[in-house]
């Protein structure tokens, strides 16, 4: 069995093995193997190519951009997605604009250990995907499965554009697969994680699993819920979403991020503007609450959507 | 056809008697002169409404700037900042890159997508600045890391900042990072006494900016930025130290911005005392006086060089004016290199 975290480690090992242009830079990623061990033993296996960085997110990302201009393909680890705000300027103003301004590609991968875990608190729990998806010039990935964590990270390294890779910390140890995949879906294509005819849930990352659990619960009540895993937040596979809504007529978008704006709002906006006639009821969205992410599990468990709140929202939609 | 860069072959016969230092001085002077003339032209075009956005002059900073550009080699990495027209020319940026970017020609390196000083040729080692101060320092550091990963030796990377830019987090993070990695990075600080309108008393409280070098564990150098000879020596020495493996070099030059922040700004807040003092000397005039005093060239030759700079400028502007402007219907409106992933 291989975990989601091990898949990320293995993808980086393969990238280092296959491409001499790849190097890894981030805090504690070297001999220590990373705060989550996503780079375990890589510094030992690839000497000089997995480097500890000072606590300087802005300079870390800036240096990756410079290295990319000189032909490298850096993988940068932000220790927590939350800390990427310190490197925000370089990500959104420099990496994202470089190709458009100069026609020189900026192939950097920025790994963001994202999302909430019990006890994480306000500054070790955030989901930043919508912030980055807002900016032209970035690709934003949010894998929900072990297989995607592996294949999408390899794809992120191969892509000639800056990729913000939102890997979910909650999935690191919980999610396991038999083996690593040998083939992958194309980047930008959503996956139907569960088929159904009564309603569509569109989601991504850890919320795919909460939504699948909600669908299981509703199946016991006779409802067949389709669950779509977006895989990449940007580009967003509107076609697969619209096709599903065309079959079911009902839409619930679920995300772990804060409610204002964001991925779920984008999904609803697209379906409302491009597929309004497909809807049998007003589309709905479920997000975290509009407060910072709480520390104590009692609060955290209520702050974010869960299988229970997703199924409750869906029941309400089905009984409209 | 533009004239190629002035070469020693263009100097009168007597110049073959000049030392290498003197020849470098004259070469640097001619780049300074060309920078001054082209920027005066840009200011004039700005006033005539021919330029969108701002125009930012290097006046008073050409000696320092050219000293960096002329000290670098062809395969080095250079990220110029706002007042580095002279360094750009000396490093090899075509004059047309300047006029085309300012005037929005579709044939310029930025194709009308970015303007004025936000231009470069990454493939040729000229990194195009973003506006956020300090942001180019880690970028140069990363480019140097790439050279090291690729086993390319002997590269120096250089970039510039002002007194205001030393207050940024990016300055701190990246100078520290460069020191940890012991990169051959030269960071030239033009302490021109004002960050837009903010005087240094409201910018930093340290005795001298060069003292920061100690804190980062890098070598520091101070220079009078109004003096071309001193600037050539100090900046040249810093570049040599970096190339020889002595790690990052911080050069702090004292000078005065002899223009507003941009041409939209009259700089009325600049202290008269500073203007009249030693920092207020015009580095171009100081260099000219040395040339005449030392008899490295005659006043007639200086006049000819000025005419040459004007001719190059006029030709570049005339050519740029004939060129097509950006056309929204011909834009692809695609931000990504991976076009198939564009949301359009």
């Amino acid at each position: 069995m291989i975990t989601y975290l091990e898949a990320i480690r293995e993808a980086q090992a393969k990238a280092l093995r296959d491409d001499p242009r790849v190097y890894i830079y981030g805090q504690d990623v070297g001999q220590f193997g990373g705060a989550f061990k996503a780079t375990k033993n890589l510094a030992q296996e690839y000497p000089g190519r997995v480097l500890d960085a000072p606590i300087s997110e802005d300079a870390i990302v800036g240096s990756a951009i410079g290295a990319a201009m000189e032909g490298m393909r850096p993988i940068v680890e932000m220790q927590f997605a939350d800390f990427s705000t310190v490197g925000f300027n370089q990500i959104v103003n420099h990496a994202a604009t470089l190709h458009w301004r100069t026609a020189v590609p900026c192939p950097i991968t920025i790994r963001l250990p994202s999302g909430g875990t019990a006890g994480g608190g306000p500054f070790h729990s955030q989901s930043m995907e919508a912030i980055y998806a807002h900016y032209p010039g970035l690709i934003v990935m949010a894998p929900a499965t072990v297989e995607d964590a592996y294949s999408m990270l390899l794809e992120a390294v191969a892509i000639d554009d800056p990729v913000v890779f939102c890997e979910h910390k909650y999935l690191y140890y919980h999610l396991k697969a038999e083996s690593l995949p040998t083939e992958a879906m194309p980047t930008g294509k959503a996956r139907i994680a569960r088929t159904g005819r009564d309603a569509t849930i569109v989601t991504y990352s850890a919320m795919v699993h909460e939504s699948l659990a909600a669908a299981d619960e509703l199946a016991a009540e006779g409802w067949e819920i389709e669950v779509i895993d977006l895989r990449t937040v940007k580009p967003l596979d509107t076609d697969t979403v619209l096709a599903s809504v065309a079959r079911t007529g009902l839409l619930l978008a679920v995300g772990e991020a804060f409610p204002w704006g964001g991925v779920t709002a984008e999904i609803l906006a697209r379906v409302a503007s491009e597929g309004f006639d497909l809807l049998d009821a007003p589309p709905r969205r479920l997000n975290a609450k509009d407060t910072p992410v709480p520390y104590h599990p009692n609060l955290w468990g209520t702050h974010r959507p869960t299988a229970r709140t997703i199924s409750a929202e869906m029941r309400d939609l089905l009984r409209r | 056809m533009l004239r190629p860069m002035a070469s020693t072959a263009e100097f009168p016969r007597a110049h073959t008697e000049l030392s290498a230092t003197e020849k470098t001085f004259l070469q640097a002077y001619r780049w300074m002169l060309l920078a001054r003339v082209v920027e005066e032209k840009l200011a004039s075009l700005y006033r005539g409404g021919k330029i969108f956005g701002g125009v930012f002059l290097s006046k008073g900073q050409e000696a320092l700037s050219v000293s960096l550009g002329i000290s670098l080699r062809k395969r080095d990495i250079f990220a110029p900042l706002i007042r580095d027209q002279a360094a750009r020319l000396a490093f090899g940026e075509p004059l047309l890159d300047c006029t085309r970017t300012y005037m929005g020609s579709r044939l310029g390196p930025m194709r009308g997508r970015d303007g004025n000083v936000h231009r470069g040729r990454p493939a040729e080692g000229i990194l195009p600045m973003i506006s956020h101060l300090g942001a180019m320092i880690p970028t140069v550091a990363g480019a140097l890391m790439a050279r090291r990963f690729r086993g390319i030796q002997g590269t120096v990377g250089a970039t510039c900042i002002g007194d205001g830019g030393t207050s940024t987090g990016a300055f701190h993070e990246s100078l520290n990072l460069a020191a940890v990695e012991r990169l051959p990075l030269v960071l030239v600080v033009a302490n021109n006494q004002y960050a837009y309108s903010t005087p240094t008393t409201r910018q930093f409280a340290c005795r001298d900016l060069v003292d920061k070098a100690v804190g980062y564990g890098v070598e520091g150098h101070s220079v009078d930025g109004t003096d071309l000879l001193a600037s050539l020596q100090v900046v040249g020495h810093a570049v040599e130290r970096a190339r020889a493996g002595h790690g990052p070099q911080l050069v702090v030059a004292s000078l005065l911005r002899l223009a507003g922040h941009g041409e939209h700004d009259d700089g009325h807040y600049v202290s008269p005392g500073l203007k009249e003092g030693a920092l207020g000397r015009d580095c171009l005039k100081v260099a000219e006086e040395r040339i005449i005093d030392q008899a490295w060239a005659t006043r007639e030759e200086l006049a000819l060089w000025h005419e040459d700079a004007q001719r190059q400028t006029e030709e570049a502007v005339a050519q740029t004016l004939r060129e097509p402007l950006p056309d929204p219907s011909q834009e692809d409106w695609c931000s990504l290199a991976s076009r198939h992933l564009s949301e359009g």
Side-chain angles (χ1 to χ4, degrees):
Chain A
M1 295 295 276
I2 183 160
T3 66
Y4 182 95
L5 178 65
E6 287 162 351
I8 288 166
R9 191 261 176 212
E10 290 308 310
Q12 292 179 104
K14 180 171 168 53
L16 285 163
R17 187 166 61 242
D18 292 353
D19 190 342
R21 300 171 300 175
V22 173
Y23 73 98
I24 302 177
Y25 198 37
Q27 295 149 25
D28 305 302
V29 300
Q31 294 291 320
F32 184 65
F36 297 99
K37 303 297 169 198
T39 56
K40 187 178 175 183
N41 290 331
L42 292 180
Q44 290 85 342
E45 290 170 26
Y46 299 94
R49 294 172 64 195
V50 186
L51 303 176
D52 285 329
I55 304 176
S56 301
E57 287 82 1
D58 188 32
I60 290 168
V61 180
S63 72
I65 295 166
M69 282 195 237
E70 284 289 318
M72 301 298 286
R73 302 187 89 88
I75 301 173
V76 161
E77 179 183 302
M78 297 280 119
Q79 200 155 76
F80 285 81
D82 314 48
F83 302 154
S84 72
T85 52
V86 184
F88 190 67
N89 179 47
Q90 288 285 0
I91 299 171
V92 306
N93 285 314
H94 204 180
T97 63
L98 186 72
H99 176 260
W100 183 79
R101 293 165 71 232
T102 66
V104 171
C106 186
I108 68 176
T109 300
I110 306 167
R111 289 182 36 238
L112 264 54
S114 303
T117 53
F123 312 117
H124 296 77
S125 303
Q126 292 173 42
S127 300
M128 310 288 293
E129 59 279 352
I131 298 281
Y132 293 111
H134 176 72
Y135 282 89
L138 299 175
I139 288 168
V140 183
M141 298 181 173
T145 66
V146 174
E147 292 82 356
D148 275 352
Y150 180 78
S151 60
M152 289 170 71
L153 183 48
L154 285 173
E155 181 71 7
V157 174
I159 284 173
D160 273 342
D161 290 291
V163 177
V164 177
F165 190 82
C166 303
E167 53 195 55
H168 204 294
K169 301 194 296 293
Y170 188 77
L171 305 180
Y172 271 169
Y173 314 102
H174 291 107
L175 215 54
K176 294 187 174 83
E178 288 296 330
S179 60
L180 292 172
T182 50
E183 51 188 37
M185 293 178 71
T187 298
K189 184 84 182 139
R191 176 178 68 99
I192 298 177
R194 178 191 179 112
T195 56
R197 64 179 181 203
D198 295 324
T200 298
I201 295 176
V202 178
T203 186
Y204 57 98
S205 190
M207 287 297 126
V208 169
H209 303 283
E210 297 294 331
S211 299
L212 287 170
D216 279 344
E217 207 178 299
L218 291 161
E221 300 165 24
W223 300 107
E224 292 181 26
I225 308 300
E226 185 144 296
V227 177
I228 293 178
D229 170 9
L230 288 174
R231 302 174 68 246
T232 63
V233 160
K234 190 173 191 179
L236 199 158
D237 184 1
T238 315
D239 290 348
T240 296
V241 172
L242 284 169
S244 177
V245 174
R247 288 191 292 275
T248 65
L250 294 175
L251 171 65
L252 171 63
V254 179
E256 185 179 332
F258 300 132
W260 203 98
V263 178
T264 58
E266 184 69 24
I267 294 161
L268 260 65
R270 291 185 186 203
V271 171
S273 60
E274 296 173 42
F276 190 76
D277 295 341
L278 306 173
L279 290 163
D280 296 332
R284 300 204 184 181
R285 51 196 285 256
L286 194 59
N287 298 285
K289 294 187 186 302
D290 191 28
T291 70
V293 184
Y295 152 69
H296 197 276
N298 288 358
L299 301 177
W300 173 69
T302 301
H303 181 266
R304 65 173 200 145
T306 59
R308 192 180 54 77
T309 59
I310 295 166
S311 60
E313 185 74 18
M314 183 52 89
R315 259 183 225 105
D316 200 52
L317 177 60
L318 289 162
R319 290 180 193 142
R320 69 205 180 277
Chain B
M1 186 65 191
L2 291 183
R3 291 173 65 114
M5 61 180 273
S7 69
T8 46
E10 290 185 11
F11 295 129
R13 187 166 306 156
H15 292 161
T16 57
E17 311 296 319
L18 295 175
S19 71
T21 306
E22 291 157 357
K23 284 178 187 166
T24 302
F25 187 98
L26 294 181
Q27 180 68 76
Y29 169 77
R30 293 194 66 175
W31 291 129
M32 289 171 67
L33 183 63
L34 181 54
R36 178 70 61 90
V37 168
V38 73
E39 289 193 340
E40 283 171 351
K41 180 67 181 179
L42 292 170
S44 158
L45 289 165
Y46 173 82
R47 288 190 291 273
K50 298 280 190 200
I51 290 175
F52 299 97
V55 169
F56 305 92
L57 305 191
S58 313
K59 192 174 181 184
Q61 301 191 193
E62 294 98 331
L64 175 67
S65 178
V66 78
S67 297
L68 182 57
I70 212 164
S71 299
L72 296 172
R73 295 181 189 160
K74 189 76 182 163
R75 297 197 184 287
D76 286 340
I77 293 156
F78 179 39
L81 206 76
I82 176 172
R83 303 186 206 284
D84 278 317
Q85 181 57 44
R88 287 173 180 273
L89 290 167
F91 188 65
E93 183 188 82
L95 184 58
L96 272 172
D97 279 14
C98 170
T99 53
R100 284 170 163 167
T101 307
Y102 262 107
M103 298 170 77
S105 165
R106 201 159 79 211
L107 307 185
M110 312 311 280
R111 301 160 290 163
R113 293 180 175 190
D114 208 342
N116 51 59
V117 292
H118 303 93
R119 63 180 193 268
R121 294 168 172 259
E124 291 160 46
I126 310 176
L127 310 190
M129 61 174 280
I130 66 168
S131 300
H132 306 68
L133 293 175
M136 299 314 293
I137 309 172
T139 311
V140 173
L144 291 170
M145 288 170 72
R147 293 276 172 101
R148 193 166 64 190
F149 280 126
R150 294 167 62 196
I152 300 168
Q153 294 182 331
T155 299
V156 166
T159 188
C160 308
I161 196 90
D163 41 289
T166 66
S167 305
T168 61
F171 174 93
H172 164 73
E173 285 195 5
S174 47
L175 191 49
N176 178 65
L177 182 151
V180 168
E181 292 292 337
R182 207 169 165 75
L183 297 170
L185 177 104
V186 178
L187 177 55
V188 175
V189 179
N191 180 359
N192 68 11
Q193 314 303 319
Y194 288 87
Y196 203 151
S197 75
T198 303
T200 54
T201 52
R202 300 298 302 166
Q203 196 66 245
F204 54 84
C206 57
R207 184 185 60 85
D208 189 318
L209 285 174
V210 80
D211 293 344
K212 291 184 183 244
V214 179
Y216 293 109
V218 304
E219 296 183 0
H221 314 265
S222 299
V223 67
D224 174 356
T226 67
D227 182 341
L228 175 59
L229 193 61
S231 295
L232 283 168
Q233 285 167 348
V234 172
V235 175
H237 176 63
V239 170
E240 280 171 24
R241 293 286 295 170
R243 205 181 303 280
H246 299 285
Q249 307 288 315
L250 179 69
V251 179
V252 177
S254 301
L255 41 78
L256 184 67
R257 193 186 73 206
L258 300 181
H261 170 60
E263 281 304 274
H264 56 279
D265 171 33
D266 64 5
H268 61 274
Y269 42 79
V270 175
S271 140
L274 279 174
K275 288 185 200 169
E276 289 150 18
L279 292 183
R281 302 191 302 172
D282 180 348
C283 59
L284 194 67
K285 293 279 174 283
V286 174
E288 273 172 20
E289 283 161 19
R290 188 181 295 273
I291 291 168
I292 298 301
D293 287 352
Q294 301 291 322
W296 292 340
T298 62
R299 290 203 183 278
E300 290 69 30
E301 283 166 325
L302 294 187
L304 282 173
W305 294 347
H306 191 264
E307 278 176 31
D308 181 60
Q310 283 181 316
R311 189 164 50 247
Q312 290 192 55
T313 297
E314 292 301 334
E315 283 173 6
V317 169
Q319 178 169 336
T320 304
L321 281 170
R322 288 194 300 271
E323 291 175 352
L325 292 170
D327 178 351
S329 70
Q330 290 188 25
E331 277 284 314
D332 61 6
W333 299 107
C334 172
S335 303
L336 299 175
S338 329
R339 298 178 59 87
H340 64 290
L341 297 178
S342 176
E343 290 219 318

